[in-house]
Amino acid sequence: MPQEAHYKERRAQTRYPHPFTASIAEFVFPMSCQPEFEAECIDITSKGAMLKVDSVIPKGSVQQVCIELPGFEKKLQRVNQVPCDLPCKIRVVSRVIWSTVKEGASVIGIEFLNMGKSAEQALTRYLKDNKS
């Protein structure tokens, strides 16, 4: 029997494999002094995400993650009637729950720890509108 037949999804939330642009910085004060690294958000749920970062990000570390929700700014324009050309970005404090490092780059799994209400609502709405 193929190995895939034994695979069972461990996440309680559905993964959304959209290629988001993101950035990540260690959550240590003062934040303005922390180096920020570009990241690619490989997939996302309402509770966490998987990121690819061209830096070593250790398991267990706490990071501030900023994720851009592509195309969502147009939805915000219609709801609030406020013109906005900037993409919607959510910022959330996250913990790295696993990390795979290869040749100075990391693929990490993060869980969202402290997401503001507006960011949570925006992400929930985005994921609902963009199910694939």
Side-chain angles (χ1 to χ4, degrees):
M1 183 175 273
Q3 188 175 11
E4 292 84 22
H6 297 290
Y7 175 77
K8 182 178 178 189
E9 176 61 58
R10 294 184 299 171
R11 290 188 185 182
Q13 304 290 318
T14 303
R15 297 181 205 205
Y16 295 94
H18 297 287
F20 300 108
T21 300
S23 62
I24 187 168
E26 188 173 10
F27 190 66
V28 176
F29 291 100
M31 285 300 298
S32 61
C33 295
Q34 300 308 314
E36 185 173 87
F37 299 99
E38 293 296 316
E40 176 187 354
C41 184
I42 298 168
D43 69 32
I44 192 167
T45 73
S46 61
K47 303 292 182 191
M50 180 168 50
L51 303 176
K52 181 178 179 185
V53 186
D54 288 334
S55 181
V56 176
I57 308 292
K59 177 182 175 182
S61 63
V62 177
Q63 304 285 325
Q64 178 172 271
V65 178
C66 180
I67 300 172
E68 184 177 305
L69 302 179
F72 195 59
E73 63 279 0
K74 292 175 181 65
K75 290 177 179 38
L76 292 176
Q77 282 180 0
R78 282 181 275 166
V79 172
N80 297 330
Q81 300 301 315
V82 176
C84 176
D85 292 332
L86 299 174
C88 177
K89 292 183 180 183
I90 59 170
R91 281 192 191 279
V92 60
V93 176
S94 307
R95 180 184 341 271
V96 178
I97 55 174
W98 61 265
S99 178
T100 302
V101 178
K102 184 176 182 181
E103 297 176 8
S106 300
V107 175
I108 60 174
I110 59 169
E111 66 176 331
F112 301 144
L113 297 178
N114 187 6
M115 185 181 296
K117 187 171 180 113
S118 61
E120 183 177 1
Q121 289 173 340
L123 180 58
T124 299
R125 187 178 318 141
Y126 183 87
L127 293 176
K128 181 180 174 192
D129 291 350
N130 290 282
K131 289 182 180 177
S132 53

